[in-house]
Amino acid sequence: MYTKEIAVGAVIALATFLFWKGIDLLPFLFLAAFVGAILYFNSMRTGGKSFTAPSKDNKVSLVRLDDIGGQDMAKNELREALEFIRDVETIKKLGIRPLKGILLNGPPGTGKTLLAKAAAHYTDSVFLTASGSEFVEMYVGVGAQRIRKLFNQAKSLAKQQGKQNAVIFIDEIEVLGGKRGEANSHIEHEQTLNELLVQMDGLSSDEMVRVLIIAATNRPDMLDAALLRPGRFDRQVKVDLPDKKGRLQILLLHTKNKPLAEDVCLEDIAGDTMGFSGAHLESLTNEAAILALRESKEKISSDHLRSAIDKVIMGEKLDRLPSLQEKQRIAVHEIGHALLSEITTPGSVATINVASRSNALGYVRQTQENDTYLYTIDQLKAKIAVALAGAVAEEITLGNRSTGASNDFKQATDLAKQIIYGGMSTLGIVSVENVPSELLHSTMSAILKDVESYVHNTLITYHPTAAQILAVLLNKESLTGDEFRKMLPMN
Ligand code: ADP
């Protein structure tokens, strides 16, 4: 266990003894440094690196498919694929070739690593993990050596632990498996990828240890076609951002060990967190617990969870405060967004906040009853109206606009493009590549101008209400959707 320490101690003791005896140690020191350098470079060259292989009794074996919220489709597809590994005898009888690779494809934080770990548990396999970037080296041949080492390590670990299966998880496979022959590809990269292909082709169901490669990527388009060829990663499982039901399940999983107050409705939180990944939701529950701790509360309340949503989206509150004038402008701007949001989609404002955080000076968070994947032209125009309302409100109340709206404009122009490319503009159905840029620009401007004048007329009629809300918001810094709605004339 302490062999390294004992060896170093012994060498130091010997050197001291020889020095005391009056023997000149300088030549020996040079020799030792020389040998050390050779060993070091050799280990670099041969990929002297071990891959993370969590031990038998660690967390890996504890991740089950049931511990992963949402992702029902991905879990079913994965389970189906893994049956091939669990039921080897039947598979052999039917002459089916073994499954060698599964590619998990989806944005970060959606549970791909968890799925790979759960797959290892489901098939009673040892689990090894590596990232694509660990194979990228300057020296030709090192990456390929590392691939060989990874496969050998998986097999020997399985033997050691008396298991018949091994799962190797390679995260960010696009780094190692990018297309060959392109500008950024070079000989070392090609050798590494070739080695992976060779190793995968060499896997057979007759071996003592069957190895399954699970790879994760967010960019399947970047992968070399050879990797996706049948017999390699021929199963692709899509791991998408969770929908509302999925988010609720993930929230339930991550609040299992946390005391929640009676006022907490996780379903509402799931509704308010469209676009959140599993990792965001985990961080949200954790932040909420930290907020409860800071306030010395024993239970996590609904307010804690809502503040945590804001924190996860917008970052920590800033100490640097904007001037009073700036704060007033921020508030006017946000009230503009909130008014249009409420007018176009009643009940849609979740919070208005003007306490500056690291990612935004102020913001309006909208809630959504159901996840929406398709939008009509009216819905898109309503979204454009909400985006433009901040700048228009500044103009009406303060007489001019500011740079604070540049993000809003980007969002508005993107939405206008969606209208055009969706064939819903005056241009009719168009091909994305062939719309002349001037025509695109003029059509986009027409859509934006049209919505802008609607927003202007609407906000003028709400001007007195906006002034009242402004006073309250500046005082309280944050308003919940319900508080905001109570101040509107229609309620
Ligand atoms: P990925 O590999 O897709 O980037 P991970 O699997 O590493 O994401 O997820 C990171 C963390 O996010 C997990 O440790 C877990 O706490 C949480 N998480 C992500 N997706 C889920 C999910 N579907 N169910 C439960 N927790 C999740």
Side-chain angles (χ1 to χ4, degrees), residues 197 209 259 357:
L197 299 177
V209 176
R357 289 173 184 263

Side-chain angles (χ1 to χ4, degrees), residues 116-135:
K117 287 181 182 172
H121 177 260
Y122 191 68
T123 50
D124 190 26
S125 309
V126 291
F127 182 78
L128 260 93
T129 160
S131 165
S133 53
E134 289 175 49
F135 300 94

Side-chain angles (χ1 to χ4, degrees), residues 396-413:
I396 294 174
T397 313
L398 305 166
N400 56 14
R401 298 182 176 190
S402 68
T403 51
S406 48
N407 258 344
D408 299 339
F409 293 158
K410 177 163 184 326
Q411 209 185 341
T413 47

Side-chain angles (χ1 to χ4, degrees), residues 67-69 71 107-114 171 250 253-254 278-279 282:
D67 296 332
I68 303 172
Q71 308 299 2
T110 43
K112 295 184 290 300
T113 313
L114 287 183
D171 206 0
I250 298 173
L253 279 172
H254 287 292
E282 191 274 332

Side-chain angles (χ1 to χ4, degrees), residues 244 247 251 265-276 281 284 302 305-306 309-310 313 347-351 365-371 481:
K244 187 173 167 188
R247 292 196 295 273
L251 284 169
C265 172
L266 288 181
E267 202 168 334
D268 287 352
I269 304 288
D272 277 3
T273 45
M274 185 175 176
F276 273 43
L281 293 169
L284 156 69
S302 178
L305 285 161
R306 288 189 183 281
I309 299 181
D310 293 340
I313 306 178
S348 60
V349 172
T351 357
R365 197 163 48 73
Q366 291 172 291
T367 177
Q368 224 165 15
E369 251 320 286
N370 294 306
D371 293 326

Side-chain angles (χ1 to χ4, degrees), residues 222-243:
M222 280 174 68
L223 294 180
D224 194 280
L227 267 178
L228 304 175
R229 218 199 58 193
R232 285 158 187 170
F233 287 105
D234 47 2
R235 286 278 160 147
Q236 284 204 35
V237 176
K238 186 105 187 75
V239 191
D240 255 332
L241 288 173
D243 57 6

